[in-house]
Amino acid sequence: FAKMNSTLASRMRVAMNTLRQQLPQMLRSKSTKAAAAGGGGFGLLAIAQSHPFAFQVAVSTVKTGAADMMTQTVVEKKKWNEIDIKRNLVFVVFGATYLGCFQWWIQVTQFRKWFPGMDRFANASMAEKMKDIPGMISAGKQVLFDVFVHLPFMYFPCFYAVKEMVQGKSSNPLDWVKDGCIKYYGNFAKDTYAMFCLWAPADVILFSLPIWLRMPGRHLVSMGWTAYLSFLRGSKEPEKVEDKKN
């Protein structure tokens, strides 16, 4: 019995030492799984990966409205009762419809057709990307399309048209497009220069990210861009003197 007790005690000490060493790792593992199941940071990451379209639309809508709100209250020093709700609505509508939905269609759905191998390059490791010359050329073409076609000839005309829809006097969609394009034409040089300075270098990184992270990453960069656009173009332009006379 003494020998049996000694052996049992020895095994218990070994088991306790093993448990003491493995317990912290086990707790970390459990907490990670709990965070994922309970909607913590890891849960948010899981949602972004499993529902990339819906996730980035929600991010885009909230981000765009918040950027304008921040610009009005922080940069322009407006009080809460002075906030231009119609102006904020421009950015909320634009964030949901164009930045969230249309940009996904262009930069994910259509890019997959126009630039074969996009997913393979985007989801590869950095070491693999550096060896993938065709993939880098394809990513470069995506950057060129974005800054020379998409942004100047799709993004800005749509932004100005939405702005006219919310802030303009006409209820005719043709007037929204016409008046928006006229105003964009007057700001074309300044708008496109600022766009190129930000989005050309940003796109080099964004079009190298995994596909599920491409649009959320773009919306993150767009937070600063939207604040700039809100400050520069968000307010309703004053009526001309001749318009008032008429």
Side-chain angles (χ1 to χ4, degrees):
F1 285 105
K3 185 176 181 180
M4 185 182 299
N5 288 338
S6 177
T7 302
L8 183 59
S10 177
R11 290 181 179 178
M12 288 182 63
R13 282 196 296 270
V14 172
M16 291 298 293
N17 288 334
T18 304
L19 181 61
R20 191 181 301 115
Q21 293 172 1
Q22 295 183 355
L23 185 60
Q25 183 178 353
M26 292 168 61
L27 289 175
R28 284 195 297 268
S29 176
K30 292 290 185 182
S31 63
T32 299
K33 293 178 181 178
F42 289 96
L44 196 62
L45 185 62
I47 292 172
Q49 291 176 317
S50 59
H51 305 285
F53 173 74
F55 178 80
Q56 64 87 30
V57 169
V59 170
S60 175
T61 305
V62 173
K63 172 271 305 179
T64 312
D68 171 65
M69 194 70 70
M70 179 184 69
T71 301
Q72 292 196 50
T73 56
V74 178
V75 179
E76 300 173 11
K77 308 294 184 184
K78 290 183 178 179
K79 297 178 180 179
W80 286 103
N81 59 353
E82 297 174 337
I83 288 175
D84 188 338
I85 301 298
K86 275 195 171 183
R87 165 179 160 178
N88 189 253
L89 187 60
V90 170
F91 288 90
V92 171
V93 172
F94 188 68
T97 57
Y98 188 93
L99 300 181
C101 297
F102 183 76
Q103 274 198 152
W104 174 276
W105 181 78
I106 281 285
Q107 297 187 346
V108 177
T109 305
Q110 294 305 114
F111 272 23
R112 279 183 172 135
K113 300 176 183 177
W114 300 338
F115 306 105
M118 179 186 78
D119 287 78
R120 174 186 52 76
F121 178 78
N123 295 323
S125 67
M126 184 56 66
E128 292 171 333
K129 284 185 175 75
M130 298 305 294
K131 298 176 184 177
D132 189 352
I133 303 301
M136 287 191 283
I137 293 174
S138 176
K141 291 178 180 179
Q142 294 170 54
V143 174
L144 293 176
F145 180 88
D146 192 45
V147 297
F148 288 112
V149 179
H150 167 233
L151 290 171
F153 299 111
M154 298 180 191
Y155 170 88
F156 274 119
C158 186
F159 169 76
Y160 279 93
V162 171
K163 187 170 181 287
E164 287 302 307
M165 177 187 74
V166 177
Q167 295 181 343
K169 295 180 178 180
S170 175
S171 58
N172 188 342
L174 293 178
D175 288 337
W176 304 340
V177 175
K178 181 191 71 174
D179 295 343
C181 287
I182 289 173
K183 290 179 180 178
Y184 174 43
Y185 180 79
N187 298 324
F188 181 84
K190 188 171 184 178
D191 284 351
T192 52
Y193 175 77
M195 171 272 295
F196 185 84
C197 289
L198 173 66
W199 286 109
D203 279 349
V204 173
I205 298 173
L206 293 171
F207 291 143
S208 300
L209 294 176
I211 294 299
W212 66 268
L213 191 56
R214 169 175 292 196
M215 298 310 296
R218 189 174 186 87
H219 298 324
L220 182 64
V221 176
S222 181
M223 182 75 176
W225 168 255
T226 304
Y228 165 81
L229 199 62
S230 169
F231 178 71
L232 202 65
R233 306 285 178 235
S235 299
K236 185 176 180 180
E237 296 180 10
E239 297 179 6
K240 295 181 180 179
V241 175
E242 50 267 32
D243 290 342
K244 291 182 178 178
K245 289 181 179 180
N246 295 333

